[in-house]
Amino acid sequence: MQAAVTNIAKYWRRLAAQRLLARRRHAATVLRRFVKGFMTRHQSLSLDNSEFLQYVRREYLMRLAKQVPRSVLDKSWPRCPSSLRKTDDLLRPLCTRTLVRHYVRSLSPDQKNQLEQKVIAEVIFKGKKQSYQHSIPHYFLDHRLPEGTSAAILAHFEAKVKPGDEKTTYSTVVTKYDRHGYQSRSWILLTTNAALYLLEEKNLKLKHRVPYSSIKGISVSSLADSVFVTHIIPDTKKDKGDIILESAWLIETVTKICIVSKKVDMVHLEESGSICHTMADGKTGIIEFLHGEEPQITKSKNGTLTVVTTANGYSNGY
């Protein structure tokens, strides 16, 4: 009986040793193929590197699934193996298009309108106006009037100023500078689908109604100030002239006027440091734009309007 137990144990140890040897040989073969596949990974597909490249593809896709961007604004992207560069070049734009598609489909009508306005502002001001970058995070609003008087002003405008067939699209407080003497006055700017309106802030008296067909263009400087000049076509300006305005939300105000007038290309960014404006008697005036330590808008000794802006701009210029 003892001899039988010894024989069984002997043959079992032999079988276990054989199985262990087979596993080690198999492991050595796999490691050898893996190392050889790694060494030939940059070569064309062959029996030597096919399994290694398949492993690389699997690991790359699994890592990409965990690290793929989840937002349109996320520009990060996992590094890819050199053997999968063509695949990576296909997947990256595909992922971007998918994210953009989901983002666009999730936009509300108000968000879509906001995005369209921001795109137009970018076309007009990007790389041309120093205050443009600061305006990007701020939403464009339809009304910028003081909270306490906003409802009363809009009600008066709707009832007693504009024609009933016009729709109000934008309103904000602006500072108007006289063409002669450059005295500043607080006015209210409103736009409808047909014209631009300027009212006195104190008594809401109508001072200007300018149809969009009468606007020749809008000039702004390349600095971070908040002054813009609305040029009026001479045949329709009668005894007035160009209108000099300052808006604390210049980027927004000018963009709104361009959109409602359907004249996106009428804005001129002046880089020479001065803007000319016309007066009622045919004369011209000059507005000079300078850098300084303190922002200010004053009439200089030589009779020009001087706009001094710092690196951060006069007011906010958004």
Side-chain angles (χ1 to χ4, degrees):
M1 189 67 177
Q2 185 63 34
V5 171
T6 303
N7 276 337
I8 292 174
K10 178 180 66 174
Y11 284 111
W12 172 249
R13 287 195 296 270
R14 178 183 177 186
L15 178 62
Q18 290 175 342
R19 288 179 177 178
L20 177 61
L21 179 61
R23 287 199 301 271
R24 288 180 175 177
R25 285 178 176 174
H26 176 70
T29 302
V30 171
L31 287 175
R32 195 177 295 110
R33 287 204 304 267
F34 188 87
V35 171
K36 193 170 184 179
F38 174 80
M39 296 174 62
T40 59
R41 66 189 184 278
H42 297 305
Q43 300 177 11
S44 58
L45 185 65
S46 64
L47 292 176
D48 293 332
N49 59 15
S50 59
E51 292 185 6
F52 179 82
L53 293 179
Q54 183 177 0
Y55 166 79
V56 169
R57 286 193 293 269
R58 182 174 64 253
E59 290 298 315
Y60 165 72
L61 292 175
M62 293 180 65
R63 185 175 68 254
L64 181 61
K66 296 178 181 179
Q67 301 178 6
V68 68
R70 307 295 179 182
S71 170
V72 178
L73 299 179
D74 187 1
K75 303 301 181 183
S76 64
W77 190 259
R79 292 183 60 184
C80 74
S82 58
S83 60
L84 294 175
R85 285 176 183 172
K86 292 183 178 180
T87 303
D88 187 77
D89 292 340
L90 294 174
L91 290 178
R92 188 166 188 173
L94 180 62
C95 175
T96 302
R97 287 198 299 269
T98 302
L99 291 174
V100 170
R101 182 182 181 186
H102 289 322
Y103 175 75
V104 171
R105 289 191 170 187
S106 65
L107 288 176
S108 66
D110 290 340
Q111 290 174 322
K112 184 178 180 181
N113 182 53
Q114 186 71 213
L115 186 60
E116 291 173 347
Q117 294 180 64
K118 287 290 185 177
V119 170
I120 293 176
E122 179 184 16
V123 172
I124 298 173
F125 295 105
K126 185 177 181 181
K128 304 173 186 177
K129 183 74 174 172
Q130 291 181 9
S131 59
Y132 168 72
Q133 291 295 330
H134 299 286
S135 73
I136 295 176
H138 299 271
Y139 268 54
F140 286 172
L141 302 181
D142 291 336
H143 301 290
R144 291 279 185 186
L145 300 177
E147 293 183 5
T149 60
S150 176
I153 293 173
L154 291 175
H156 174 83
F157 180 71
E158 294 285 341
K160 298 183 179 181
V161 179
K162 77 173 185 67
D165 59 342
E166 294 184 14
K167 180 181 178 182
T168 305
T169 59
Y170 180 67
S171 61
T172 187
V173 176
V174 296
T175 300
K176 185 261 184 183
Y177 291 90
D178 294 343
R179 304 167 190 85
H180 297 276
Y182 300 116
Q183 182 178 352
S184 62
R185 305 176 189 276
S186 183
W187 283 9
I188 296 174
L189 180 148
L190 301 103
T191 63
T192 69
N193 56 318
L196 183 149
Y197 292 81
L198 290 168
L199 282 63
E200 288 186 354
E201 186 176 17
K202 291 183 178 180
N203 54 21
L204 301 183
K205 179 181 178 181
L206 177 64
K207 301 301 293 184
H208 290 281
R209 181 188 184 275
V210 185
Y212 298 126
S213 58
S214 302
I215 299 178
K216 181 170 60 175
I218 296 177
S219 293
V220 298
S221 78
S222 60
L223 303 183
D225 61 276
S226 52
V227 174
F228 67 99
V229 179
T230 304
H231 301 286
I232 311 300
I233 297 176
D235 294 340
T236 59
K237 69 183 180 182
K238 297 181 180 179
D239 60 340
K240 299 187 181 295
D242 296 339
I243 304 173
I244 307 169
L245 300 172
E246 178 197 1
S247 171
W249 304 90
L250 181 139
I251 303 296
E252 173 188 276
T253 302
V254 174
T255 302
K256 292 278 190 179
I257 294 174
C258 291
I259 292 174
V260 72
S261 65
K262 299 179 181 179
K263 295 182 176 181
V264 178
D265 58 346
M266 71 174 175
V267 180
H268 174 66
L269 276 294
E270 183 57 60
E271 298 181 358
S272 64
S274 64
I275 295 176
C276 293
H277 66 91
T278 60
M279 305 179 190
D281 52 8
K283 296 181 180 180
T284 58
I286 297 177
I287 306 173
E288 295 181 337
F289 297 88
L290 305 171
H291 279 297
E293 296 181 357
E294 294 293 333
Q296 58 181 342
I297 300 179
T298 58
K299 181 181 179 181
S300 62
K301 295 181 180 180
N302 59 4
T304 63
L305 181 65
T306 302
V307 180
V308 179
T309 180
T310 62
N312 294 326
Y314 184 87
S315 185
N316 52 30
Y318 299 163

